[in-house]
Amino acid sequence: MKKLLCALLLCALCMPASGAVSAQGAVVMDADTGEVLFEQNADARLPMASTTKIMTALVALGEGNLDRTYTVKAEYAQVEGSSMYLREGETLTLRDTLYGLMLESGNDAAVAIAGECGGYGNFVQKMNDKAAELGLTDTNFDNPNGLPGDTHYTTARELAKITAAALRDPVFRQIVSTQTYTVGERTLSNHNRLLSMYDGAIGVKTGYTRAAGRCLVSAAERNGRTLIAVTLNDPDDWNDHMQMLDAGFAQYEEVTLHEAGQEITTLRVFGGDVDSVPLLAQNTVTAYLLPGEREKIQAVRYGEKICYAPVVQTAHAGRIEYRIGDKVLARDTLVYGGAALLPAEEKSLPERILDRIFGEY
């Protein structure tokens, strides 16, 4: 109880007070559990500029072979705004175009991806269908690049949910954490300064239009936990994100889940000189948890449900995972904490007679 009270006090001291960041809308969310650690006007519908491209990438990644090639059409190369400088007639892969989308924030890349993944209108519909699939009710897309539109909006909270879904794709994670990438004669550079400014940063996307202001989605990992920070219309977004992420990570406390050698369970033994043997943890295992998460953890054991003699002490006996929902917080190897021997076989009648005869001499 004392630890819990201390953690709650720490949260109150560390997290920004309401209105403490300069964003019109902001949120900090645990990427794996969806727990919201900080919010400020997080449900206001706002334009999101090029952070739109997180959804563009998420939908494109579900379209199949990323290494298929296409020829750049004139309409792809003539899009206004930020660009990866596609040239009409050149041949690229969808993978290369995704790097141009996320690193250089190419509006031309967004239109090319839409055109090559079912056509512009169909692709935008897929973006909105994906939003519905994620349970979002305050998000709508008019285009795949984030240029202003009358019904092109999201909220800080829902943009964090889109990002959490995207981060579950390892290819997306790889792309948004890449500093530079070469496509032909181009060297693409990531516009996300937090990758070099903030310890543990892994992405995600910048954005700006005059209508939307400065928009930023960032993600960082520490001690096995991933946080997403979102700000919409924030003139001081770099500093605000570092403050928000620091305050978010400060809410986690290291908790011991089990000690090395601790008995986790027992396993029934058949055909041995004992009925059961203990299963022991091989290592001490800890995890960083929010207040109240300890009670939500599920321990899942993998391995045989029963065993047969002989059993060798300290031999491998499966593993244990600690989960909250689909998030694996920690895992460890289990070993047998005792031995089970085969019982001595009973001697046959002739053997017993011989033992008696020869035992007399």
Side-chain angles (χ1 to χ4, degrees):
M1 179 60 72
K2 186 178 292 184
K3 282 188 176 181
L4 177 59
L5 292 174
C6 289
L8 291 173
L9 177 60
L10 181 63
C11 296
L13 292 174
C14 288
M15 288 309 296
S18 179
V21 296
S22 54
Q24 191 173 351
V27 74
V28 178
M29 179 182 291
D30 186 297
D32 298 301
T33 67
E35 186 77 19
V36 172
L37 309 184
F38 168 72
E39 59 182 286
Q40 178 177 297
N41 203 26
D43 297 312
R45 289 183 175 183
L46 297 167
M48 62 289 206
S50 285
T51 60
T52 295
K53 292 164 183 163
I54 298 169
M55 180 62 95
T56 306
L58 177 59
V59 172
L61 287 166
E63 290 293 299
N65 181 15
L66 298 182
D67 295 314
R68 69 183 188 271
T69 59
Y70 70 96
T71 301
V72 174
K73 299 177 182 177
E75 59 264 34
Y76 301 168
Q78 296 170 358
V79 182
E80 65 176 300
S82 57
S83 179
M84 71 174 289
Y85 301 103
L86 293 175
R87 297 186 296 272
E88 182 182 356
E90 71 174 320
T91 300
L92 277 79
T93 66
L94 185 59
R95 185 185 305 274
D96 288 342
T97 313
L98 281 167
Y99 276 92
L101 177 81
M102 300 306 290
L103 273 62
E104 290 285 359
S105 198
N107 291 340
D108 53 351
V111 173
I113 288 168
E116 297 301 318
C117 294
Y120 190 94
N122 287 336
F123 189 85
V124 173
Q125 184 59 53
K126 290 178 185 178
M127 294 172 69
N128 287 311
D129 290 344
K130 188 65 175 181
E133 179 187 322
L134 294 174
L136 311 183
T137 57
D138 291 304
T139 295
N140 193 75
F141 298 100
D142 290 345
N143 58 68
N145 46 43
L147 292 174
D150 291 340
T151 55
H152 192 86
Y153 56 80
T154 189
T155 70
R157 189 188 312 277
E158 294 197 347
L159 187 51
K161 291 180 179 180
I162 294 169
T163 305
L167 286 172
R168 288 193 281 273
D169 189 305
V171 176
F172 180 88
R173 278 186 173 242
Q174 179 181 2
I175 291 173
V176 299
S177 64
T178 298
Q179 292 274 18
T180 60
Y181 184 82
T182 301
V183 179
E185 298 176 355
R186 302 177 186 83
T187 298
L188 308 176
S189 299
N190 201 319
H191 293 182
N192 184 0
R193 290 165 51 190
L194 285 181
L195 288 175
S196 57
M197 293 172 62
Y198 190 78
D199 180 36
I202 60 170
V204 176
K205 188 71 189 74
T206 60
Y208 173 78
T209 64
R210 187 172 298 177
R214 292 179 61 86
C215 300
L216 180 61
V217 178
S218 65
E221 292 178 331
R222 287 186 188 173
N223 301 314
R225 303 307 295 258
T226 302
L227 292 185
I228 296 166
V230 176
T231 51
L232 298 175
N233 193 7
D234 184 353
D236 194 25
D237 50 7
W238 303 118
N239 289 322
D240 282 342
H241 275 244
M242 290 188 286
Q243 176 191 356
M244 291 162 65
L245 289 167
D246 278 346
F249 282 120
Q251 295 190 56
Y252 292 84
E253 180 185 13
E254 188 175 21
V255 175
T256 299
L257 301 180
H258 66 232
E259 301 277 0
Q262 181 178 328
E263 182 177 317
I264 301 301
T265 188
T266 58
L267 200 61
R268 188 175 179 186
V269 178
F270 287 90
D273 61 345
V274 295
D275 293 331
S276 64
V277 291
L279 300 188
L280 308 183
Q282 190 171 63
N283 306 288
T284 296
V285 168
T286 64
Y288 283 78
L289 305 177
L290 292 169
E293 278 191 335
R294 185 69 178 89
E295 292 73 25
K296 299 177 183 178
I297 291 178
Q298 289 184 317
V300 182
R301 185 177 69 83
Y302 297 89
E304 299 296 334
K305 304 304 180 186
I306 60 173
C307 63
Y308 295 88
V311 172
V312 179
Q313 188 171 358
T314 74
H316 184 275
R319 71 183 193 276
I320 186 170
E321 287 185 351
Y322 293 97
R323 296 171 169 266
I324 295 180
D326 294 331
K327 168 64 176 176
V328 178
L329 297 172
R331 52 172 60 91
D332 192 21
T333 298
L334 299 177
V335 297
Y336 292 111
L341 303 177
L342 290 170
E345 293 186 7
E346 184 177 344
K347 293 183 178 182
S348 65
L349 178 59
E351 289 174 326
R352 292 200 304 272
I353 294 172
L354 289 172
D355 283 346
R356 180 167 296 182
I357 294 172
F358 289 106
E360 296 175 355
Y361 295 97

